[in-house]
Amino acid sequence: MHSKLSSLPPGVISTKVTILRFQVGNVRPSRPELREEVFSGYYSESRQHIILIPGAPRRAKLSLGDVVRAVVGESELPAALGAETPGSVVNLPKEMTVRQDVYVRKASGLVRTVGPTSALFSNLVAMGIIVNFFWIVFASAGYPNANLVTTVGIGVLINIGVGFVYWMLSSAMPRSGGDYVFMGRIFHPSIGLATNLVFSAVFITWAGLFSFYITAYGLPMLLSSFAIAGGSAISFNWYVSTILASQSSMFVVSAVFLLLVILISLLPTKWVFRTTVAIFAVTAVIYVIMMVLLLMTSQATFASHWNAANPGNSYASIASAGASGDSITTSGTFLGIVYTMLSFVGYANSSYFAGEIRGNPTRTQGLAIFGAPLIFAALIAGLYATTYMTFGRDFIVGLSGACYAGCSIVPVLPSPLVLAAYILPSGGFSPYLAAFLSFGVMLTFFGFSLIYFIVPTRNLFAWSFDRVFPSALARVSRRGVPWVAVLSLAFFAFVSMYAAVYTTLFNYLSYSNFGFWFAVGIVCLGGALFPFLRPKLFAQAPRLVRTRIGPVPLLTLIGGASFVASWYVSYASSTATFLEVSSYSYQALLFLPMIFVGGFVLYWVSYAIQRRRGIPVDLIAKELPPD
């Protein structure tokens, strides 16, 4: 089954393929047909697949937009069976790049059903457009000398550079697996696995951790906001005395949310991303409502409402306590970028499922990876500014600091989403609106758990497809879902959730920020060296990737600067002094560097095993995996 050039017009090929079935309009045959025919079609290099249409005798019977679903061998038929929508095409490799003995099969089996806007929204969900209403408490308590609005400006400069590197590498190597593929082809597969394993370890722990956060923070905030705005406090009191008072109860509730994440992950890819779009839409509505509410409320009005509800802890006393130690300093602001940078994590996630994104990779990833941090920066800058304007920076710092000193001024974490309940008139519809605003935190954490569970499943798939891990982990369902990888990582997500509930291992989030930006720095260094270490692959990249300023590739300049900036953020995270300070240990930060070393060793163990089996694994570093 090989492509043969004919005398057709430029861009048109004549190909003999095994046809799985036709889809004409919305009609689907009840049973797939298998037969070989010669078809002509258009090969679109920009879209990285072949669109096949019937030859002249049958062409007139098909309407514009009808697409033949086709695969190159029986091993890919299950994935093709699940291609969901008219116009989607099962990934089809180019004949000259695929070695059946190197990879598990000749095509990935993943289905390109994710559009550019879905990729963008999923990246924004992974960042959490309202999560800084939550992180602001931790940032204010740990970094009282930081101007958080300024940290957004610093953060966006760093992330634009990092985003540019990921955008360019995703355009040059549009395959699922992200930095595993990038670093494996630029440096060596062992470095690719080691780097990607660090990201995957962070992400899979987040999947369990944020499921726990829904139980530990999200639900209490929702029920408390309902009560503060004039609703009944019965549900909140019951939740505190029954659920929060029992670790086993917290584990059960958290497990329900994590199980829902896993079940969604087993759905066809298009439904996973429809879920993320829905999460984005609801959180965007909450963001807008919150912004309008804060802009319409003066600081004096909030102070009056606060004093009426808290006569023993006046607004002035809390603000005065905050002002005593929150003078803004340059060093405090630069160190205070930790939580801002933590919230920026996620805009490059679309590089990990690049094999499931349709359209031109350069345009699609440009919107999703490069566009997301710009949009996010504007949103959280507005979030921080309006929070300071309405509640007062001194008050936020003072209340946040008191929260971590053991004071119970507010029964839950004093997020601005909870403080908004004091602004609303008591009773009527207000309790429901207040609860809806805090529901945004729950939904954000659920989105985190979902996205950060999906990403490592695609990484595990990529490792297995390269035969670094057992090939069974690269199996896909009839609908192109890597179900074995999903179920395998479900175990580790539950272990992570167990650790979050029963131990203090994840109390200090800096371990993940430290490891994440350490690994990002390696990717940026790889991007800077890409033109020199892999000149042939670089020469085949899209023109934008090959842009130069004088004799130096633009990717090298931005990649080098981003490498330095990323490792600075990693350093800043390692010196942080927030959240359970007494339990912080520098030894805890060694966990992720040990994961990096472990990934490096694991690759060479796998290499030795595959070499004994006669698999030419050395070729993995010399070519891109099949699409």
Side-chain angles (χ1 to χ4, degrees), residues 484-507:
V484 179
V486 169
L487 295 180
S488 299
L489 288 179
F491 169 77
F492 293 99
F494 272 103
V495 169
S496 168
M497 190 192 69
Y498 178 90
V501 174
Y502 289 100
T503 74
T504 60
L505 179 62
F506 298 142
N507 278 354

Side-chain angles (χ1 to χ4, degrees), residues 504-511 573-579 584:
T504 60
L505 179 62
F506 298 142
N507 278 354
Y508 184 69
L509 271 180
S510 183
Y511 84 95
S573 299
S574 71
T575 61
T577 54
F578 60 94
L579 186 57
Y584 174 69

Side-chain angles (χ1 to χ4, degrees), residues 13 100 180 249 335 354:
I13 61 171
Q100 178 68 30
Y180 164 70
S249 296
L335 283 177

Side-chain angles (χ1 to χ4, degrees), residues 101-112:
D101 53 351
V102 176
Y103 301 101
V104 171
R105 51 183 174 267
K106 290 185 179 181
S108 68
L110 301 175
V111 182
R112 291 187 182 272

Side-chain angles (χ1 to χ4, degrees), residues 200-213 251 254-255 258 262 449 452-453 456 488-507 509 511-512 591:
S200 298
V202 170
F203 292 158
I204 201 63
T205 57
W206 282 359
L209 177 65
F210 285 112
S211 294
F212 165 68
Y213 268 28
F251 180 84
S254 302
L258 183 55
I262 294 166
S449 188
Y452 291 115
F453 181 77
S488 299
L489 288 179
F491 169 77
F492 293 99
F494 272 103
V495 169
S496 168
M497 190 192 69
Y498 178 90
V501 174
Y502 289 100
T503 74
T504 60
L505 179 62
F506 298 142
N507 278 354
L509 271 180
Y511 84 95
S512 54
F591 172 72

Side-chain angles (χ1 to χ4, degrees), residues 378-394:
L379 292 175
I380 63 171
L383 181 155
Y384 283 147
T386 53
T387 296
Y388 282 167
M389 180 191 73
T390 301
F391 301 116
R393 180 177 178 276
D394 291 341

Side-chain angles (χ1 to χ4, degrees), residues 3 16 41 88 249 352 355 429 437 533 556:
S3 299
K16 188 175 183 181
S88 64
S249 296
Y352 295 105
F429 182 71
L437 293 177
L533 296 181
T556 297

Side-chain angles (χ1 to χ4, degrees), residues 144-451:
N145 304 116
N147 183 330
L148 296 180
V149 179
T150 303
T151 64
V152 177
I154 300 170
V156 74
L157 289 176
I158 297 173
N159 284 284
I160 284 177
V162 174
F164 180 82
V165 173
Y166 269 89
W167 176 20
M168 294 299 99
L169 295 180
S170 294
S171 300
M173 295 172 261
R175 301 292 188 272
S176 289
D179 33 65
Y180 164 70
V181 176
F182 308 155
M183 297 301 95
R185 274 60 184 179
I186 294 173
F187 289 131
H188 188 272
S190 60
I191 302 299
L193 179 63
T195 304
N196 195 242
L197 195 59
V198 171
F199 287 119
S200 298
V202 170
F203 292 158
I204 201 63
T205 57
W206 282 359
L209 177 65
F210 285 112
S211 294
F212 165 68
Y213 268 28
I214 297 173
T215 306
Y217 294 107
L219 277 168
M221 287 173 59
L222 183 151
L223 297 173
S224 177
S225 297
F226 183 84
I228 290 171
S232 172
I234 295 176
S235 296
F236 174 73
N237 293 332
W238 173 85
Y239 189 86
V240 171
S241 62
T242 305
I243 304 300
L244 294 184
S246 167
Q247 287 181 315
S248 58
S249 296
M250 293 179 70
F251 180 84
V252 170
V253 175
S254 302
V256 171
F257 289 112
L258 183 55
L259 181 60
L260 183 57
V261 164
I262 294 166
L263 292 176
I264 293 174
S265 302
L266 289 169
L267 294 175
T269 303
K270 70 171 184 178
W271 286 105
V272 173
F273 284 90
R274 285 177 179 176
T275 303
T276 63
V277 170
I279 291 172
F280 175 81
V282 175
T283 53
V285 169
I286 292 173
Y287 180 92
V288 171
I289 294 174
M290 191 68 179
M291 288 295 101
V292 170
L293 186 61
L294 296 184
L295 289 171
M296 293 178 61
T297 304
S298 69
Q299 195 172 120
T301 299
F302 169 74
S304 174
H305 287 202
W306 172 269
N307 290 335
N310 300 276
N313 296 285
S314 70
Y315 178 92
S317 64
I318 295 173
S320 176
S324 64
D326 71 346
S327 58
I328 296 173
T329 64
T330 302
S331 60
T333 298
F334 271 91
L335 283 177
I337 67 173
V338 169
Y339 270 115
T340 300
M341 294 299 288
L342 179 63
S343 59
F344 265 105
V345 172
Y347 58 82
N349 284 355
S350 55
S351 68
Y352 295 105
F353 47 84
E356 296 164 271
I357 297 178
R358 64 176 183 264
N360 184 312
T362 302
R363 287 197 296 267
T364 300
Q365 297 289 20
L367 174 65
I369 296 178
F370 200 64
L374 294 175
I375 295 171
F376 186 74
L379 292 175
I380 63 171
L383 181 155
Y384 283 147
T386 53
T387 296
Y388 282 167
M389 180 191 73
T390 301
F391 301 116
R393 180 177 178 276
D394 291 341
F395 178 81
I396 291 294
V397 172
L399 187 61
S400 300
C403 174
Y404 282 97
C407 178
S408 57
I409 299 175
V410 179
V412 293
L413 189 84
S415 161
L417 292 169
V418 174
L419 298 180
Y422 291 98
I423 297 174
L424 300 172
S426 182
F429 182 71
S430 294
Y432 300 97
L433 177 58
F436 178 65
L437 293 177
S438 288
F439 171 69
V441 171
M442 289 182 58
L443 198 59
T444 296
F445 290 157
F446 184 80
F448 285 173
S449 188
L450 176 61
I451 292 294

